[in-house]
Each structure stands twice: as structure tokens, then as C-alpha cells.
Amino acid sequence: MIMIPAKLTCPDSSWTLEYTGFIMSAASWGEYRNYRSMYECVDRGAEGVPGSQDNMNGATFHYASAYCNTFLHCPPYENQIALSCVVCSK
């Protein structure tokens, strides 16, 4: 399996599209600002878990977005728009 950030399609027809989604990670501010977080490709069709509105004092997922005029060139990215991703398998 492979996750490709900022794409919506697999590299070629030898790959099987598993799902498309958005790059997300734990918050980088507040209580979690000193913790490292992995970036995950979260399925666009993801559903919440009943009771997930309750505060269980854990990290929450937030969209990752591109910020132009940093190390990214815009276009092809759009400033402060959630980054897409695709998960493919062979």
C-alpha cells in the first residue's frame, strides 16, 4: 500500500484505488503544541463514532493545508486549502 499526498489518482493502472481523502493530523497548538503527530490520509467518507462529541482529553484530527510563499509553490497548491490524498494498493 502507498499513500500519496496532494493527489486523487494512483500512479498507473497497475495500482488499485482504495480511497481518496484528506491529509490530517493532531492539532499543533494548545495543549498538543509540543507533541509530534503523524500525518494520516483520512477517508473522505469517514464517519464519526457515537459519543465522539464528548471530551475524552485526547488529540483530535485537523486538516493539513498548504501555505503559499513558504516552501510550497502556488499553483499547483492553493493557499490554506485542505490537502487531498489517495491510498493505493498492489
Side-chain angles (χ1 to χ4, degrees):
M1 294 198 76
I2 186 172
M3 186 276 283
I4 307 170
K7 294 289 184 183
L8 293 173
T9 58
C10 296
D12 59 47
S13 61
S14 69
W15 291 89
T16 300
L17 173 72
E18 296 296 332
Y19 64 90
T20 60
F22 294 101
I23 301 286
M24 301 181 92
S25 69
S28 59
W29 60 87
E31 169 179 359
Y32 298 100
R33 71 181 171 277
N34 295 321
Y35 294 95
R36 293 181 184 207
S37 174
M38 291 179 50
Y39 288 94
E40 300 288 342
C41 184
V42 178
D43 192 328
R44 296 182 184 258
E47 297 179 11
V49 175
S52 63
Q53 71 274 9
D54 295 338
N55 184 357
M56 303 300 286
N57 294 320
T60 56
F61 274 119
H62 296 270
Y63 292 101
S65 57
Y67 286 88
C68 298
N69 301 322
T70 55
F71 62 93
L72 292 175
H73 298 287
C74 300
Y77 300 101
E78 294 184 48
N79 196 43
Q80 297 184 26
I81 299 296
L83 291 169
S84 62
C85 56
V86 63
V87 173
C88 306
S89 64
K90 265 199 175 188

